[in-house]
Amino acid sequence: MPIIEMHLLEGRSVEKKRKAVAAMTAALVEALEVQPEQVRILITEHSVEHFSVGGQTVGQRNAAHVD
């Protein structure tokens, strides 16, 4: 049973998340030869202040690009 953990920044629509999990499920069904019911996908969403790159939160990086 494959278990996929996906971390995203907040803000994507339910429609986009549903499209992503459908595509990932289809890819795993084909690549791993499993049934769709065996695929588990966990989505964790993070705010821009709870995700950082290079020592700065994404919120800080976004603010720096606006100025």
Side-chain angles (χ1 to χ4, degrees):
M1 165 183 16
I3 301 172
I4 304 299
E5 216 177 320
M6 181 170 45
H7 294 265
L8 300 172
L9 289 173
E10 291 177 329
R12 289 181 174 82
S13 69
V14 169
E15 180 182 282
K16 287 186 180 195
K17 288 180 274 190
R18 288 178 178 174
K19 186 176 179 179
V21 298
M24 284 186 280
T25 299
L28 291 169
V29 166
E30 182 179 335
L32 300 178
E33 299 177 0
V34 296
Q35 296 300 310
E37 297 77 21
Q38 294 175 285
V39 177
R40 307 290 190 263
I41 300 174
L42 304 163
I43 299 174
T44 304
E45 294 185 286
H46 304 278
S47 75
V48 295
E49 293 304 322
H50 293 160
F51 191 92
S52 65
V53 177
Q56 290 186 316
T57 66
V58 172
Q60 289 173 301
R61 291 171 62 97
N62 289 348
H65 291 302
V66 172
D67 296 336

Short mmCIF file of all heavy atoms in Angstrom, two decimals:
data_model
loop_
_atom_site.label_atom_id
_atom_site.label_comp_id
_atom_site.label_asym_id
_atom_site.label_seq_id
_atom_site.Cartn_x
_atom_site.Cartn_y
_atom_site.Cartn_z
N MET A 1 0.85 -1.17 0.00
CA MET A 1 0.00 0.00 0.00
C MET A 1 0.89 1.24 0.00
O MET A 1 1.54 1.54 1.00
CB MET A 1 -0.90 -0.02 1.23
CG MET A 1 -1.55 1.28 1.54
SD MET A 1 -2.59 1.41 3.02
CE MET A 1 -2.21 0.03 4.01
N PRO A 2 0.98 1.97 -1.11
CA PRO A 2 1.77 3.20 -1.12
C PRO A 2 1.07 4.32 -0.34
O PRO A 2 -0.14 4.49 -0.41
CB PRO A 2 1.87 3.55 -2.60
CG PRO A 2 0.79 2.80 -3.27
CD PRO A 2 0.44 1.64 -2.41
N ILE A 3 1.88 5.03 0.42
CA ILE A 3 1.40 6.19 1.17
C ILE A 3 2.24 7.38 0.74
O ILE A 3 3.46 7.38 0.88
CB ILE A 3 1.52 5.98 2.69
CG1 ILE A 3 0.72 4.75 3.12
CG2 ILE A 3 1.05 7.23 3.44
CD1 ILE A 3 0.93 4.35 4.57
N ILE A 4 1.59 8.39 0.20
CA ILE A 4 2.26 9.59 -0.28
C ILE A 4 1.93 10.74 0.67
O ILE A 4 0.78 10.97 1.02
CB ILE A 4 1.77 9.96 -1.72
CG1 ILE A 4 1.95 8.81 -2.68
CG2 ILE A 4 2.44 11.24 -2.19
CD1 ILE A 4 3.38 8.36 -2.86
N GLU A 5 2.96 11.48 1.05
CA GLU A 5 2.79 12.65 1.89
C GLU A 5 3.11 13.87 1.04
O GLU A 5 4.20 13.97 0.48
CB GLU A 5 3.75 12.57 3.07
CG GLU A 5 3.19 13.11 4.34
CD GLU A 5 4.15 12.94 5.49
OE1 GLU A 5 4.80 11.90 5.60
OE2 GLU A 5 4.24 13.91 6.27
N MET A 6 2.16 14.80 0.93
CA MET A 6 2.34 15.98 0.10
C MET A 6 2.20 17.23 0.97
O MET A 6 1.20 17.40 1.66
CB MET A 6 1.29 15.99 -1.02
CG MET A 6 1.40 17.14 -1.95
SD MET A 6 0.37 17.05 -3.45
CE MET A 6 -1.20 16.52 -2.84
N HIS A 7 3.22 18.07 0.95
CA HIS A 7 3.19 19.32 1.72
C HIS A 7 3.04 20.48 0.74
O HIS A 7 3.80 20.59 -0.22
CB HIS A 7 4.49 19.48 2.52
CG HIS A 7 4.62 18.45 3.59
ND1 HIS A 7 4.23 18.69 4.88
CD2 HIS A 7 5.07 17.18 3.55
CE1 HIS A 7 4.45 17.61 5.60
NE2 HIS A 7 4.96 16.67 4.81
N LEU A 8 2.05 21.32 1.00
CA LEU A 8 1.74 22.45 0.12
C LEU A 8 1.61 23.72 0.93
O LEU A 8 1.22 23.68 2.10
CB LEU A 8 0.40 22.23 -0.60
CG LEU A 8 0.25 21.02 -1.49
CD1 LEU A 8 -1.20 20.88 -1.93
CD2 LEU A 8 1.16 21.13 -2.69
N LEU A 9 1.89 24.84 0.30
CA LEU A 9 1.53 26.11 0.90
C LEU A 9 0.03 26.29 0.76
O LEU A 9 -0.57 25.86 -0.23
CB LEU A 9 2.26 27.27 0.23
CG LEU A 9 3.76 27.34 0.51
CD1 LEU A 9 4.41 28.41 -0.35
CD2 LEU A 9 4.02 27.60 1.98
N GLU A 10 -0.59 26.92 1.74
CA GLU A 10 -2.03 27.16 1.69
C GLU A 10 -2.39 28.00 0.47
O GLU A 10 -1.58 28.78 -0.02
CB GLU A 10 -2.48 27.94 2.94
CG GLU A 10 -2.41 27.17 4.21
CD GLU A 10 -2.79 28.01 5.42
OE1 GLU A 10 -2.55 29.23 5.42
OE2 GLU A 10 -3.30 27.41 6.37
N GLY A 11 -3.61 27.80 0.00
CA GLY A 11 -4.11 28.68 -1.05
C GLY A 11 -4.59 27.97 -2.30
O GLY A 11 -5.26 28.60 -3.12
N ARG A 12 -4.26 26.71 -2.46
CA ARG A 12 -4.73 26.00 -3.66
C ARG A 12 -6.18 25.59 -3.45
O ARG A 12 -6.60 25.26 -2.35
CB ARG A 12 -3.87 24.80 -3.95
CG ARG A 12 -2.49 25.21 -4.46
CD ARG A 12 -1.65 24.00 -4.78
NE ARG A 12 -0.40 24.39 -5.38
CZ ARG A 12 0.67 24.80 -4.70
NH1 ARG A 12 0.63 24.89 -3.39
NH2 ARG A 12 1.78 25.13 -5.33
N SER A 13 -6.93 25.60 -4.52
CA SER A 13 -8.34 25.27 -4.44
C SER A 13 -8.54 23.77 -4.21
O SER A 13 -7.66 22.95 -4.48
CB SER A 13 -9.05 25.66 -5.74
OG SER A 13 -8.61 24.83 -6.81
N VAL A 14 -9.72 23.43 -3.71
CA VAL A 14 -10.09 22.03 -3.54
C VAL A 14 -10.01 21.31 -4.88
O VAL A 14 -9.52 20.18 -4.98
CB VAL A 14 -11.50 21.91 -2.93
CG1 VAL A 14 -12.01 20.48 -2.98
CG2 VAL A 14 -11.52 22.43 -1.50
N GLU A 15 -10.45 21.98 -5.94
CA GLU A 15 -10.42 21.39 -7.27
C GLU A 15 -8.99 21.00 -7.69
O GLU A 15 -8.75 19.91 -8.21
CB GLU A 15 -11.01 22.37 -8.29
CG GLU A 15 -11.02 21.85 -9.71
CD GLU A 15 -11.58 22.87 -10.68
OE1 GLU A 15 -12.81 23.02 -10.72
OE2 GLU A 15 -10.77 23.51 -11.39
N LYS A 16 -8.03 21.88 -7.44
CA LYS A 16 -6.64 21.58 -7.80
C LYS A 16 -6.07 20.43 -6.98
O LYS A 16 -5.35 19.58 -7.49
CB LYS A 16 -5.77 22.82 -7.65
CG LYS A 16 -6.01 23.83 -8.74
CD LYS A 16 -5.06 24.99 -8.66
CE LYS A 16 -5.39 25.94 -9.79
NZ LYS A 16 -4.35 26.90 -10.04
N LYS A 17 -6.41 20.39 -5.69
CA LYS A 17 -5.92 19.29 -4.85
C LYS A 17 -6.55 17.97 -5.29
O LYS A 17 -5.86 16.95 -5.36
CB LYS A 17 -6.21 19.58 -3.38
CG LYS A 17 -5.31 20.69 -2.82
CD LYS A 17 -5.58 20.97 -1.37
CE LYS A 17 -6.71 21.96 -1.24
NZ LYS A 17 -6.90 22.49 0.10
N ARG A 18 -7.82 17.99 -5.64
CA ARG A 18 -8.48 16.77 -6.12
C ARG A 18 -7.85 16.30 -7.44
O ARG A 18 -7.67 15.10 -7.65
CB ARG A 18 -9.97 17.00 -6.29
CG ARG A 18 -10.68 17.11 -4.96
CD ARG A 18 -12.15 17.39 -5.13
NE ARG A 18 -12.82 17.46 -3.83
CZ ARG A 18 -14.08 17.79 -3.66
NH1 ARG A 18 -14.85 18.08 -4.71
NH2 ARG A 18 -14.60 17.83 -2.45
N LYS A 19 -7.54 17.25 -8.31
CA LYS A 19 -6.91 16.91 -9.58
C LYS A 19 -5.53 16.29 -9.34
O LYS A 19 -5.15 15.31 -9.99
CB LYS A 19 -6.79 18.17 -10.44
CG LYS A 19 -6.29 17.94 -11.84
CD LYS A 19 -6.31 19.25 -12.64
CE LYS A 19 -5.79 19.03 -14.04
NZ LYS A 19 -5.83 20.27 -14.83
N ALA A 20 -4.78 16.84 -8.40
CA ALA A 20 -3.44 16.33 -8.09
C ALA A 20 -3.50 14.92 -7.53
O ALA A 20 -2.74 14.04 -7.95
CB ALA A 20 -2.73 17.27 -7.10
N VAL A 21 -4.42 14.67 -6.58
CA VAL A 21 -4.47 13.33 -6.00
C VAL A 21 -4.97 12.30 -7.01
O VAL A 21 -4.52 11.15 -7.00
CB VAL A 21 -5.28 13.27 -4.68
CG1 VAL A 21 -4.64 14.13 -3.62
CG2 VAL A 21 -6.73 13.63 -4.87
N ALA A 22 -5.84 12.70 -7.91
CA ALA A 22 -6.30 11.79 -8.96
C ALA A 22 -5.14 11.42 -9.89
O ALA A 22 -4.96 10.26 -10.25
CB ALA A 22 -7.45 12.40 -9.75
N ALA A 23 -4.34 12.42 -10.26
CA ALA A 23 -3.20 12.18 -11.15
C ALA A 23 -2.14 11.31 -10.47
O ALA A 23 -1.58 10.39 -11.09
CB ALA A 23 -2.59 13.51 -11.60
N MET A 24 -1.85 11.59 -9.21
CA MET A 24 -0.86 10.79 -8.49
C MET A 24 -1.35 9.35 -8.32
O MET A 24 -0.57 8.40 -8.47
CB MET A 24 -0.56 11.40 -7.13
CG MET A 24 0.33 12.60 -7.22
SD MET A 24 0.84 13.21 -5.61
CE MET A 24 -0.62 14.13 -5.17
N THR A 25 -2.62 9.20 -8.02
CA THR A 25 -3.18 7.85 -7.88
C THR A 25 -3.05 7.09 -9.18
O THR A 25 -2.60 5.94 -9.20
CB THR A 25 -4.64 7.91 -7.41
OG1 THR A 25 -4.69 8.56 -6.13
CG2 THR A 25 -5.24 6.52 -7.30
N ALA A 26 -3.42 7.71 -10.29
CA ALA A 26 -3.32 7.05 -11.59
C ALA A 26 -1.88 6.66 -11.90
O ALA A 26 -1.63 5.55 -12.39
CB ALA A 26 -3.87 7.97 -12.69
N ALA A 27 -0.93 7.53 -11.58
CA ALA A 27 0.48 7.22 -11.84
C ALA A 27 0.95 6.04 -11.00
O ALA A 27 1.67 5.17 -11.48
CB ALA A 27 1.33 8.45 -11.56
N LEU A 28 0.54 5.99 -9.74
CA LEU A 28 0.96 4.89 -8.87
C LEU A 28 0.30 3.58 -9.26
O LEU A 28 0.92 2.52 -9.19
CB LEU A 28 0.65 5.23 -7.41
CG LEU A 28 1.51 6.35 -6.83
CD1 LEU A 28 0.97 6.81 -5.50
CD2 LEU A 28 2.95 5.88 -6.69
N VAL A 29 -0.95 3.64 -9.69
CA VAL A 29 -1.63 2.44 -10.16
C VAL A 29 -0.86 1.84 -11.34
O VAL A 29 -0.61 0.63 -11.38
CB VAL A 29 -3.10 2.75 -10.55
CG1 VAL A 29 -3.71 1.63 -11.36
CG2 VAL A 29 -3.92 3.02 -9.29
N GLU A 30 -0.43 2.70 -12.26
CA GLU A 30 0.31 2.22 -13.42
C GLU A 30 1.73 1.77 -13.05
O GLU A 30 2.16 0.68 -13.43
CB GLU A 30 0.39 3.31 -14.49
CG GLU A 30 1.11 2.86 -15.74
CD GLU A 30 1.17 3.94 -16.80
OE1 GLU A 30 0.31 4.83 -16.81
OE2 GLU A 30 2.10 3.87 -17.63
N ALA A 31 2.44 2.59 -12.32
CA ALA A 31 3.85 2.30 -12.04
C ALA A 31 4.06 1.15 -11.06
O ALA A 31 4.97 0.34 -11.22
CB ALA A 31 4.54 3.55 -11.50
N LEU A 32 3.21 1.08 -10.04
CA LEU A 32 3.39 0.07 -9.00
C LEU A 32 2.45 -1.13 -9.14
O LEU A 32 2.53 -2.07 -8.36
CB LEU A 32 3.20 0.70 -7.62
CG LEU A 32 4.16 1.84 -7.26
CD1 LEU A 32 3.83 2.39 -5.88
CD2 LEU A 32 5.60 1.37 -7.33
N GLU A 33 1.54 -1.04 -10.12
CA GLU A 33 0.56 -2.10 -10.36
C GLU A 33 -0.23 -2.43 -9.09
O GLU A 33 -0.32 -3.57 -8.65
CB GLU A 33 1.26 -3.34 -10.92
CG GLU A 33 1.93 -3.06 -12.25
CD GLU A 33 2.69 -4.24 -12.82
OE1 GLU A 33 2.71 -5.34 -12.20
OE2 GLU A 33 3.27 -4.08 -13.91
N VAL A 34 -0.78 -1.37 -8.50
CA VAL A 34 -1.65 -1.51 -7.32
C VAL A 34 -3.06 -1.06 -7.70
O VAL A 34 -3.26 -0.43 -8.75
CB VAL A 34 -1.13 -0.69 -6.12
CG1 VAL A 34 0.22 -1.20 -5.66
CG2 VAL A 34 -1.07 0.80 -6.45
N GLN A 35 -4.00 -1.35 -6.86
CA GLN A 35 -5.38 -0.90 -7.06
C GLN A 35 -5.53 0.52 -6.50
O GLN A 35 -4.86 0.87 -5.51
CB GLN A 35 -6.36 -1.83 -6.34
CG GLN A 35 -6.36 -3.25 -6.87
CD GLN A 35 -6.74 -3.30 -8.34
OE1 GLN A 35 -7.74 -2.73 -8.75
NE2 GLN A 35 -5.93 -3.99 -9.13
N PRO A 36 -6.38 1.34 -7.09
CA PRO A 36 -6.56 2.71 -6.59
C PRO A 36 -6.91 2.75 -5.10
O PRO A 36 -6.48 3.65 -4.38
CB PRO A 36 -7.71 3.26 -7.43
CG PRO A 36 -7.71 2.45 -8.68
CD PRO A 36 -7.22 1.08 -8.28
N GLU A 37 -7.67 1.76 -4.64
CA GLU A 37 -8.08 1.72 -3.24
C GLU A 37 -6.91 1.50 -2.29
O GLU A 37 -7.02 1.72 -1.08
CB GLU A 37 -9.12 0.61 -3.03
CG GLU A 37 -10.40 0.81 -3.79
CD GLU A 37 -10.30 0.46 -5.29
OE1 GLU A 37 -9.40 -0.29 -5.69
OE2 GLU A 37 -11.15 0.98 -6.05
N GLN A 38 -5.77 1.07 -2.82
CA GLN A 38 -4.60 0.84 -1.99
C GLN A 38 -3.76 2.11 -1.80
O GLN A 38 -2.89 2.15 -0.93
CB GLN A 38 -3.72 -0.24 -2.61
CG GLN A 38 -4.38 -1.61 -2.63
CD GLN A 38 -3.51 -2.61 -3.36
OE1 GLN A 38 -3.44 -2.60 -4.59
NE2 GLN A 38 -2.85 -3.46 -2.60
N VAL A 39 -4.01 3.12 -2.60
CA VAL A 39 -3.21 4.35 -2.56
C VAL A 39 -3.74 5.28 -1.47
O VAL A 39 -4.93 5.56 -1.41
CB VAL A 39 -3.24 5.06 -3.94
CG1 VAL A 39 -2.47 6.37 -3.88
CG2 VAL A 39 -2.69 4.14 -5.01
N ARG A 40 -2.83 5.75 -0.64
CA ARG A 40 -3.16 6.73 0.41
C ARG A 40 -2.35 7.98 0.15
O ARG A 40 -1.15 7.92 -0.09
CB ARG A 40 -2.80 6.20 1.80
CG ARG A 40 -3.36 4.83 2.14
CD ARG A 40 -4.88 4.89 2.33
NE ARG A 40 -5.40 3.65 2.88
CZ ARG A 40 -5.94 2.67 2.17
NH1 ARG A 40 -6.00 2.77 0.86
NH2 ARG A 40 -6.42 1.60 2.75
N ILE A 41 -3.01 9.14 0.20
CA ILE A 41 -2.32 10.41 0.01
C ILE A 41 -2.73 11.34 1.14
O ILE A 41 -3.92 11.57 1.37
CB ILE A 41 -2.66 11.04 -1.37
CG1 ILE A 41 -2.24 10.09 -2.48
CG2 ILE A 41 -1.97 12.40 -1.51
CD1 ILE A 41 -2.64 10.52 -3.87
N LEU A 42 -1.73 11.87 1.82
CA LEU A 42 -1.95 12.80 2.92
C LEU A 42 -1.50 14.18 2.47
O LEU A 42 -0.35 14.36 2.05
CB LEU A 42 -1.14 12.39 4.15
CG LEU A 42 -1.40 10.97 4.66
CD1 LEU A 42 -0.28 10.55 5.58
CD2 LEU A 42 -2.73 10.91 5.36
N ILE A 43 -2.39 15.17 2.56
CA ILE A 43 -2.04 16.55 2.20
C ILE A 43 -1.93 17.36 3.49
O ILE A 43 -2.87 17.40 4.28
CB ILE A 43 -3.09 17.18 1.27
CG1 ILE A 43 -3.19 16.41 -0.03
CG2 ILE A 43 -2.76 18.65 1.02
CD1 ILE A 43 -4.30 16.88 -0.95
N THR A 44 -0.79 17.99 3.67
CA THR A 44 -0.59 18.90 4.79
C THR A 44 -0.34 20.28 4.21
O THR A 44 0.53 20.45 3.36
CB THR A 44 0.62 18.47 5.64
OG1 THR A 44 0.42 17.12 6.07
CG2 THR A 44 0.79 19.37 6.84
N GLU A 45 -1.14 21.24 4.65
CA GLU A 45 -0.99 22.61 4.16
C GLU A 45 -0.30 23.47 5.22
O GLU A 45 -0.55 23.32 6.40
CB GLU A 45 -2.35 23.21 3.80
CG GLU A 45 -2.99 22.52 2.61
CD GLU A 45 -4.27 23.18 2.18
OE1 GLU A 45 -5.27 23.03 2.90
OE2 GLU A 45 -4.25 23.87 1.15
N HIS A 46 0.57 24.34 4.74
CA HIS A 46 1.35 25.21 5.63
C HIS A 46 1.12 26.67 5.25
O HIS A 46 1.05 27.01 4.07
CB HIS A 46 2.84 24.91 5.49
CG HIS A 46 3.17 23.47 5.75
ND1 HIS A 46 3.33 22.95 7.00
CD2 HIS A 46 3.35 22.43 4.89
CE1 HIS A 46 3.60 21.67 6.92
NE2 HIS A 46 3.62 21.32 5.65
N SER A 47 1.07 27.52 6.25
CA SER A 47 0.99 28.96 5.97
C SER A 47 2.36 29.43 5.52
O SER A 47 3.37 28.75 5.72
CB SER A 47 0.54 29.73 7.22
OG SER A 47 1.62 29.83 8.14
N VAL A 48 2.42 30.61 4.93
CA VAL A 48 3.69 31.15 4.44
C VAL A 48 4.66 31.44 5.58
O VAL A 48 5.86 31.60 5.35
CB VAL A 48 3.51 32.40 3.55
CG1 VAL A 48 2.76 32.05 2.28
CG2 VAL A 48 2.82 33.53 4.30
N GLU A 49 4.18 31.52 6.80
CA GLU A 49 5.06 31.74 7.95
C GLU A 49 5.47 30.44 8.62
O GLU A 49 6.25 30.44 9.57
CB GLU A 49 4.40 32.69 8.96
CG GLU A 49 4.24 34.10 8.44
CD GLU A 49 5.56 34.74 7.97
OE1 GLU A 49 6.60 34.52 8.60
OE2 GLU A 49 5.53 35.46 6.96
N HIS A 50 4.97 29.31 8.13
CA HIS A 50 5.33 28.01 8.68
C HIS A 50 6.13 27.17 7.68
O HIS A 50 6.24 25.96 7.82
CB HIS A 50 4.08 27.24 9.12
CG HIS A 50 3.38 27.88 10.27
ND1 HIS A 50 2.07 27.64 10.56
CD2 HIS A 50 3.81 28.78 11.20
CE1 HIS A 50 1.71 28.34 11.63
NE2 HIS A 50 2.77 29.05 12.02
N PHE A 51 6.67 27.82 6.67
CA PHE A 51 7.47 27.14 5.64
C PHE A 51 8.62 28.08 5.29
O PHE A 51 8.39 29.26 5.03
CB PHE A 51 6.61 26.88 4.40
CG PHE A 51 7.26 25.97 3.40
CD1 PHE A 51 7.05 24.61 3.45
CD2 PHE A 51 8.07 26.48 2.41
CE1 PHE A 51 7.64 23.76 2.52
CE2 PHE A 51 8.67 25.65 1.47
CZ PHE A 51 8.45 24.29 1.53
N SER A 52 9.83 27.57 5.33
CA SER A 52 10.96 28.46 5.05
C SER A 52 11.89 27.86 4.02
O SER A 52 11.95 26.66 3.82
CB SER A 52 11.74 28.76 6.34
OG SER A 52 12.33 27.58 6.84
N VAL A 53 12.61 28.76 3.35
CA VAL A 53 13.62 28.40 2.35
C VAL A 53 14.83 29.29 2.61
O VAL A 53 14.69 30.52 2.68
CB VAL A 53 13.08 28.63 0.91
CG1 VAL A 53 14.16 28.32 -0.11
CG2 VAL A 53 11.82 27.81 0.67
N GLY A 54 15.98 28.70 2.76
CA GLY A 54 17.21 29.48 2.93
C GLY A 54 17.21 30.40 4.13
O GLY A 54 17.78 31.49 4.08
N GLY A 55 16.57 29.99 5.21
CA GLY A 55 16.59 30.79 6.43
C GLY A 55 15.55 31.88 6.51
O GLY A 55 15.56 32.69 7.44
N GLN A 56 14.67 31.96 5.53
CA GLN A 56 13.59 32.95 5.55
C GLN A 56 12.26 32.23 5.32
O GLN A 56 12.19 31.29 4.52
CB GLN A 56 13.74 33.97 4.43
CG GLN A 56 14.89 34.92 4.60
CD GLN A 56 14.87 35.97 3.51
OE1 GLN A 56 14.65 35.65 2.34
NE2 GLN A 56 15.07 37.21 3.89
N THR A 57 11.22 32.72 6.00
CA THR A 57 9.90 32.17 5.71
C THR A 57 9.49 32.58 4.30
O THR A 57 10.01 33.57 3.75
CB THR A 57 8.84 32.66 6.71
OG1 THR A 57 8.65 34.06 6.55
CG2 THR A 57 9.23 32.32 8.15
N VAL A 58 8.58 31.84 3.74
CA VAL A 58 8.08 32.19 2.40
C VAL A 58 7.41 33.56 2.46
O VAL A 58 7.51 34.34 1.51
CB VAL A 58 7.13 31.10 1.87
CG1 VAL A 58 6.46 31.54 0.58
CG2 VAL A 58 7.89 29.80 1.66
N GLY A 59 6.78 33.89 3.58
CA GLY A 59 6.18 35.22 3.74
C GLY A 59 7.23 36.31 3.62
O GLY A 59 7.01 37.34 2.96
N GLN A 60 8.39 36.11 4.25
CA GLN A 60 9.48 37.09 4.14
C GLN A 60 9.99 37.20 2.72
O GLN A 60 10.23 38.30 2.21
CB GLN A 60 10.65 36.70 5.05
CG GLN A 60 10.40 36.85 6.52
CD GLN A 60 11.54 36.27 7.33
OE1 GLN A 60 11.85 35.09 7.21
NE2 GLN A 60 12.14 37.10 8.16
N ARG A 61 10.16 36.05 2.08
CA ARG A 61 10.65 36.04 0.69
C ARG A 61 9.66 36.73 -0.24
O ARG A 61 10.06 37.50 -1.12
CB ARG A 61 10.92 34.61 0.24
CG ARG A 61 12.10 33.98 0.98
CD ARG A 61 12.21 32.49 0.69
NE ARG A 61 12.45 32.22 -0.72
CZ ARG A 61 13.66 32.00 -1.26
NH1 ARG A 61 14.73 32.03 -0.49
NH2 ARG A 61 13.78 31.73 -2.54
N ASN A 62 8.37 36.46 -0.03
CA ASN A 62 7.34 37.11 -0.87
C ASN A 62 7.35 38.62 -0.66
O ASN A 62 7.25 39.38 -1.62
CB ASN A 62 5.95 36.55 -0.55
CG ASN A 62 5.76 35.14 -1.03
OD1 ASN A 62 6.55 34.60 -1.80
ND2 ASN A 62 4.71 34.49 -0.55
N ALA A 63 7.48 39.06 0.59
CA ALA A 63 7.52 40.50 0.88
C ALA A 63 8.73 41.16 0.24
O ALA A 63 8.65 42.28 -0.25
CB ALA A 63 7.50 40.72 2.39
N ALA A 64 9.86 40.46 0.23
CA ALA A 64 11.08 41.02 -0.36
C ALA A 64 10.93 41.20 -1.86
O ALA A 64 11.50 42.12 -2.45
CB ALA A 64 12.26 40.12 -0.04
N HIS A 65 10.16 40.34 -2.52
CA HIS A 65 9.97 40.43 -3.96
C HIS A 65 8.98 41.51 -4.36
O HIS A 65 8.97 41.96 -5.49
CB HIS A 65 9.54 39.08 -4.55
CG HIS A 65 10.61 38.05 -4.49
ND1 HIS A 65 11.85 38.20 -5.08
CD2 HIS A 65 10.64 36.83 -3.89
CE1 HIS A 65 12.59 37.14 -4.87
NE2 HIS A 65 11.89 36.30 -4.13
N VAL A 66 8.15 41.94 -3.42
CA VAL A 66 7.15 42.98 -3.69
C VAL A 66 7.79 44.36 -3.62
O VAL A 66 7.43 45.25 -4.35
CB VAL A 66 5.96 42.87 -2.70
CG1 VAL A 66 5.03 44.05 -2.85
CG2 VAL A 66 5.22 41.57 -2.90
N ASP A 67 8.72 44.52 -2.71
CA ASP A 67 9.34 45.85 -2.50
C ASP A 67 10.19 46.29 -3.65
O ASP A 67 10.69 45.70 -4.48
CB ASP A 67 10.19 45.82 -1.22
CG ASP A 67 9.33 45.60 0.00
OD1 ASP A 67 8.14 45.91 -0.05
OD2 ASP A 67 9.87 45.09 1.01
#
